[in-house]
Amino acid sequence: TTTVQASGTVVSAAVTPVPPGAGTPTGTVAFTVNGAAAGSATVGAGGVATMTVADVGQHPVSATYSGDGNFTTSIGRRAPVGPTVVPHVTSQFPKTRAGWHRSAVYVFFTCTPNTAPLVGSCPHPITVSRNGFGQSVTVTVTATDGGSTTVRVGGINIDKVAPHLMVRRHGRKLSCTSVDGLSGIASCVIHRHSHRHANRRVTVTWTAVARDRAGNTTAKRGRFRDR
């Protein structure tokens, strides 16, 4: 049997007897890198053939042992390396510091083959539009040599619903109360402006704004006269 190792510019093949066979094989090993012949090397005393080639990177490498008077031929291949899959997450509005989106989230991928071409294409973009906390997307990309890579994108938090806002007046005082059932309330503030008339009456205009942790806002406006 032949076992292949490859790193940088060095490829090697360990040729060993299959039990109950015993002994040290002789002969040569022919290497291919990415399907192209890379040369041959002699099996040394330890049953290992080694040679220097161009940088193999993640290309497929195979080694064919020629056999000798005591051992049959065999072929070994470097274990497949799954494709490199990089996810990218975007949305119409930037994610808040609290980790929430207030619009649909789009997850797209870039794929790089390693030891073999992809089976099919890189996954199509995925849209996550449902309101919810801790949502995720999982894809698996497979290569023709059996290598596969699974990528999970988690922590997708979406809240597209504006908070509920209530403003109460108690004499001259205004109170702001807001409720949000998903991302939670970040702030609830009231801005007020007073205008004094010639008859000494005062008109107070106000604007209340509630903001949730996803960035959705609800605003209410009103006025009253303070005698």
Side-chain angles (χ1 to χ4, degrees):
T1 186
T2 299
T3 303
V4 180
Q5 298 288 333
S7 177
T9 59
V10 177
V11 293
S12 63
V15 184
T16 56
V18 176
T24 301
T26 60
T28 60
V29 172
F31 292 94
T32 65
V33 177
N34 202 25
S40 299
T42 300
V43 178
V48 178
T50 301
M51 67 175 297
T52 300
V53 297
D55 190 356
V56 298
Q58 298 296 336
H59 291 305
V61 178
S62 65
T64 303
Y65 169 57
S66 63
D68 62 15
N70 298 309
F71 296 96
T72 58
T73 62
S74 65
I75 299 175
R77 295 178 177 84
R78 180 170 66 173
V81 178
T84 299
V85 182
V86 180
H88 308 272
V89 179
T90 185
S91 61
Q92 181 181 358
F93 304 104
K95 181 170 65 173
T96 65
R97 290 184 178 180
W100 286 87
H101 298 270
R102 58 187 175 103
S103 61
V105 172
Y106 307 96
V107 184
F108 63 97
F109 306 88
T110 54
C111 301
T112 304
N114 285 323
T115 53
L118 303 181
V119 175
S121 59
C122 198
H124 295 297
I126 297 174
T127 301
V128 182
S129 58
R130 181 174 57 86
N131 286 326
F133 174 79
Q135 301 178 85
S136 64
V137 167
T138 302
V139 298
T140 298
V141 183
T142 304
T144 55
D145 62 359
S148 66
T149 300
T150 298
V151 172
R152 179 182 181 275
V153 180
I156 301 175
N157 308 319
I158 300 177
D159 180 0
K160 297 181 291 183
V161 180
H164 181 61
L165 170 62
M166 296 168 289
V167 178
R168 292 185 174 89
R169 177 188 167 198
H170 305 279
R172 297 180 179 181
K173 295 182 179 181
L174 296 171
S175 62
C176 178
T177 304
S178 55
V179 177
D180 186 273
L182 190 54
S183 63
I185 294 298
S187 62
C188 187
V189 296
I190 297 177
H191 304 279
R192 50 191 294 163
H193 173 72
S194 299
H195 175 69
R196 184 177 296 276
H197 301 276
N199 59 7
R200 295 186 178 181
R201 287 188 175 182
V202 176
T203 298
V204 177
T205 59
W206 55 266
T207 301
V209 180
R211 182 182 299 273
D212 63 22
R213 298 173 70 218
N216 300 297
T217 60
T218 299
K220 287 187 176 182
R221 296 173 176 83
R223 67 170 60 191
F224 64 90
R225 285 192 173 182
D226 185 0
R227 293 177 182 270

